[in-house]
Amino acid sequence: QKEVEQDPGPLSVPEGAIVSLNCTYSNSAFQYFMWYRQYSRKGPELLMYTYSSGNKEDGRFTAQVDKSSKYISLFIRDSQPSDSATYLCAMSLNNNDMRFGAGTRLTVKP
Amino acid sequence: GAVVSQHPSRVICKSGTSVKIECRSLDFQATTMFWYRQFPKKSLMLMATSNEGSKATYEQGVEKDKFLINHASLTLSTLTVTSAHPEDSSFYICFFRGNTEAFFGQGTRLTVV
């Protein structure tokens, strides 16, 4: 079993839709959870950062962590074509070494 | 804000040659530096980690004699792919972590022909 599982998609939605991206993981010791956005041929950029369980909201983005289920989610409200990118989840034990999901490729169609 | 500058962004080299990739943090000091490799439609795979004042620690399966990492200073790290082969073609990206900040480089697309 992979440490971090993420459906690679691709996922295509119409503009304005709510997007739900998810990852599951096997190591219950993970404490830090992150979502990165990666545009084509660019390095990832940090979107959301969460420590332990709970929700975090930043503008149109909401990150949820459910440690009991080993499941994390990223929601994008009112999705825009500019949100089209690959979204990677990442997690770590000690805020140092990160383990990444495969990334979900999202396309938001105008 | 602080950024990590990675060069080159794209390189094509002949099989058997060596390629050096450089990452430089512009206005923060990185206590830990990571190098990742990303295959198409695959996740980022950690290659090695280097801490200030220490040699790089390589992940299992990564050849340290092939992927030479030099943590030259708190602001500079280089990855040299020696005797490159077509299977080394990939996207390589550095990640710098300081005391309060962490950033990825822009990545390097290496193609070995």
Side-chain angles (χ1 to χ4, degrees), chain B residues 26-58:
Chain B
L26 299 183
D27 57 3
F28 81 103
Q29 294 187 326
T31 53
T32 309
M33 299 174 179
F34 306 83
W35 283 94
Y36 288 88
R37 180 175 181 178
Q38 187 178 33
F39 295 98
K41 300 182 181 179
K42 299 288 185 183
S43 64
L44 289 161
M45 300 294 295
L46 180 64
M47 298 175 67
T49 304
S50 64
N51 293 300
E52 177 189 358
S54 303
K55 287 185 179 180
T57 300
Y58 289 79

Side-chain angles (χ1 to χ4, degrees), chain A residues 17-82:
Chain A
I18 296 175
V19 176
S20 173
L21 304 166
N22 313 292
C23 288
T24 59
Y25 60 95
S26 58
N27 189 344
S28 58
F30 283 135
Q31 295 272 38
Y32 300 87
F33 304 90
M34 292 136 290
W35 284 94
Y36 287 86
R37 177 174 61 196
Q38 184 176 22
Y39 291 109
S40 182
R41 300 177 184 176
K42 300 288 185 184
E45 54 177 327
L46 182 65
L47 268 181
M48 301 288 281
Y49 175 92
T50 310
Y51 172 70
S52 194
S53 281
N55 295 356
K56 187 171 185 179
E57 188 173 322
D58 184 3
R60 296 185 294 111
F61 298 90
T62 300
Q64 289 184 350
V65 175
D66 183 348
K67 290 190 72 178
S68 63
S69 301
K70 295 184 217 168
Y71 187 89
I72 68 171
S73 301
L74 176 71
F75 297 96
I76 307 174
R77 291 184 299 280
D78 188 25
S79 56
Q80 303 294 311
S82 58

Side-chain angles (χ1 to χ4, degrees), chain A residues 2 8 34 36 38 41-46 49 86 88 92 95-103 105, chain B residues 10 32 34 36 38 41-46 49 51 59 91 93 95 97 102-107 109:
Chain A
K2 291 181 184 176
M34 292 136 290
Y36 287 86
Q38 184 176 22
R41 300 177 184 176
K42 300 288 185 184
E45 54 177 327
L46 182 65
Y49 175 92
T86 296
L88 301 107
S92 74
N95 201 28
N96 206 12
D97 173 21
M98 288 188 290
R99 303 295 171 178
F100 287 86
R105 190 171 174 184
Chain B
R10 189 182 291 247
T32 309
F34 306 83
Y36 288 88
Q38 187 178 33
K41 300 182 181 179
K42 299 288 185 183
S43 64
L44 289 161
M45 300 294 295
L46 180 64
T49 304
N51 293 300
E59 293 295 298
F91 187 73
I93 191 163
F95 182 67
R97 181 179 295 284
F103 297 93
F104 279 98
Q106 297 94 329
R109 171 72 60 190

